[in-house]
Amino acid sequence: MGENKQWYIVCYDITDAKRWKKVHKHLHGYGKPLQYSIFRCRVTTRQLEKLRWELESILTKEDK
């Protein structure tokens, strides 16, 4: 039996357009956009941790 999925809201503020587009495209694999920088994702705990790890490799310290 698989893990239970939960709903999460992912919000971000990125000033660099190239990085913003990369994060936006990446998040499409995990959920649906509610606004330009807000996604609603239904994922397992394991998928959430994977997403965090993947985003850390894209984002910089100036991003929020």
Side-chain angles (χ1 to χ4, degrees), residues 2-64:
E3 292 182 66
N4 290 331
K5 291 187 175 186
Q6 301 258 344
W7 287 104
Y8 294 93
I9 299 291
V10 179
C11 308
Y12 52 93
D13 184 18
I14 301 172
T15 57
D16 180 62
K18 190 175 182 181
R19 227 175 17 258
W20 179 89
K21 189 176 251 182
K22 189 172 184 179
V23 169
H24 190 80
K25 280 179 107 177
H26 190 79
L27 281 168
H28 269 282
Y30 287 92
K32 295 188 178 198
L34 299 176
Q35 290 184 0
Y36 289 119
S37 298
I38 301 174
F39 273 77
R40 185 174 120 183
C41 304
R42 187 165 187 245
V43 294
T44 64
T45 304
R46 185 172 296 175
Q47 289 171 321
L48 181 64
E49 289 303 316
K50 181 181 178 205
L51 175 59
R52 283 182 182 167
W53 183 80
E54 292 167 348
L55 290 177
E56 281 182 12
S57 67
I58 300 171
L59 300 175
T60 64
K61 290 183 182 183
E62 65 189 33
D63 300 327
K64 297 177 183 175

